[in-house]
Amino acid sequence: HVHWDIFVAQAGLLDYLYLGVKLGIYPCLIFIGVGAMTDFGPLIANPKSFLLGAAAQAGIFLTFIGAAILGFSAAECGAISIIGGADGPTAIYVSSRLLDGGNFKISTGTIALAAYTYMALVPIIQPPIMKLLTTKKERAVKMPMLRNVSKTEKIIFPIAVTFIVALLVPSAGPLVGMLMLGNLLKESGVCSRLVDTAQNALMNIITIFLGVSVGATTQADKILNTEFAKVIILGVIAFAVGTAAGVLFGKIMCKATKGKVNPLIGSAGVSAVPMAARVSQKVGAQTDPTNFLLMNAMGPNVAGVIGSAVAAGILLSII
């Protein structure tokens, strides 16, 4: 809650900029840009990818339990566990909501620092887990090219997803709704200037505001302590469990389809777009240079963006 009478009397520039974080404005605006840059075609062409994107969110909920065991409060557990979604804006959105007010051992800046650190380390963290959980034969599985998706399907998809998510998980409505609005602008084909603004100028401006705002609240006493070390450890566990869950579910789909699904694409179910899909492609190509998994991996990857936003909504609604 913002006490506006006190705020107006005492606020400085950074206080006003931080309102974008506190009120959940910046993450939602970033999602417009993400939606404008995202092609949901691979997901529409292979709807089974939704299952892989959902499986990769297991890291969020299992880490919630781990954080509770270490003595964090419910709000802190929710903020820490969302790191497993590998989505910076979503992590900031959830943590700013859950850690607003009260005497918490961690801050939004702490969560943002851990989340963006592990997003940058995707090419380092994921490959060993992927290779450990799969055989050479499984990594060499070649998947067929995806069918062409019609323009009508691409326009209907964001509208349908927005309605379904808003009805089932209202708390995830702002994030998913903005994501799909950006995508609808792109797929409509009649908003070229708005799409260009969302992809470039808007994203750059909001990134600056978000970085400055969160950075200004990241105080030394919130980082140079044992609690931050616990967050870092839990963050990597969340990310590793999410990756492992996606790969293991991919193995199940591989067996169910009699070898038609490469388990490696399951690791792309985390929400680091498009880096996680590129890692799936790279690991697959190391086994067989003629194996091209990128487009098949993009399906679970964009499904992970939706999945992490839905998981965030579930945490907010429960906590």
Side-chain angles (χ1 to χ4, degrees):
H1 179 70
V2 180
H3 297 280
W4 293 107
D5 52 339
I6 302 174
F7 182 85
V8 173
Q10 301 178 355
L13 174 61
L14 290 177
D15 295 301
Y16 282 104
L17 289 179
Y18 190 72
L19 284 177
V21 177
K22 187 179 183 68
L23 302 177
I25 297 172
Y26 294 156
C28 292
L29 291 179
I30 284 182
F31 261 56
I32 292 182
V34 172
M37 293 187 289
T38 301
D39 180 11
F40 286 108
L43 178 58
I44 300 172
N46 185 17
K48 293 191 295 292
S49 299
F50 263 117
L51 299 176
L52 293 170
Q57 308 312 313
I60 295 176
F61 299 102
L62 290 177
T63 305
F64 185 95
I65 299 173
I69 294 174
L70 290 179
F72 287 100
S73 66
E76 291 170 329
C77 290
I80 293 171
S81 63
I82 198 63
I83 295 173
D87 191 328
T90 301
I92 292 173
Y93 183 82
V94 172
S95 60
S96 65
R97 284 283 192 272
L98 296 180
L99 303 179
D100 182 25
N103 185 23
F104 296 108
K105 293 175 283 189
I106 58 176
S107 66
T108 299
T110 305
I111 300 301
L113 182 59
Y116 280 106
T117 297
Y118 289 127
M119 287 174 63
L121 293 177
V122 165
I124 297 174
I125 297 174
Q126 284 197 320
I129 300 172
M130 297 161 68
K131 293 177 181 178
L132 178 65
L133 297 177
T134 56
T135 64
K136 186 175 181 179
K137 181 180 179 180
E138 289 173 333
R139 294 195 295 273
V141 171
K142 292 185 177 181
M143 298 184 67
M145 293 293 293
L146 298 172
R147 68 175 179 86
N148 291 324
V149 178
S150 68
K151 187 178 183 67
T152 302
E153 289 176 291
K154 289 187 176 183
I155 291 176
I156 292 175
F157 180 80
I159 299 173
V161 170
T162 301
F163 273 103
I164 293 171
V165 171
L167 289 172
L168 296 179
V169 191
S171 299
L175 287 176
V176 175
M178 288 297 191
L179 176 71
M180 294 304 160
L181 173 60
N183 186 251
L184 185 59
L185 291 175
K186 170 179 175 287
E187 300 301 347
S188 68
V190 295
C191 303
S192 57
R193 288 197 305 172
L194 296 180
V195 171
D196 179 65
T197 299
Q199 292 177 338
N200 298 287
L202 181 65
M203 284 285 282
N204 293 335
I205 291 170
I206 299 303
T207 298
I208 292 172
F209 286 174
L210 188 64
V212 170
S213 302
V214 173
T217 62
T218 309
Q219 301 168 344
D221 61 342
K222 295 291 186 181
I223 295 180
L224 302 177
N225 55 35
T226 57
E227 303 304 324
F228 181 65
K230 292 178 183 178
V231 171
I232 290 294
I233 294 172
L234 288 169
V236 73
I237 291 175
F239 198 78
V241 171
T243 300
V247 173
L248 292 174
F249 197 84
K251 289 171 70 75
I252 294 174
M253 292 183 67
C254 181
K255 293 185 181 298
T257 58
K258 298 180 180 179
K260 294 182 180 179
V261 174
N262 190 315
L264 292 178
I265 69 172
S267 66
V270 296
S271 182
V273 178
M275 196 181 302
R278 290 175 181 168
V279 172
S280 297
Q281 162 66 30
K282 182 180 178 180
V283 175
Q286 288 175 349
T287 304
D288 182 355
T290 64
N291 198 0
F292 298 96
L293 298 173
L294 183 60
M295 293 311 297
N296 285 286
M298 281 302 297
N301 209 182
V302 296
V305 177
I306 301 173
S308 64
V310 171
I314 292 173
L315 290 174
L316 290 175
S317 62
I318 293 176
I319 300 174

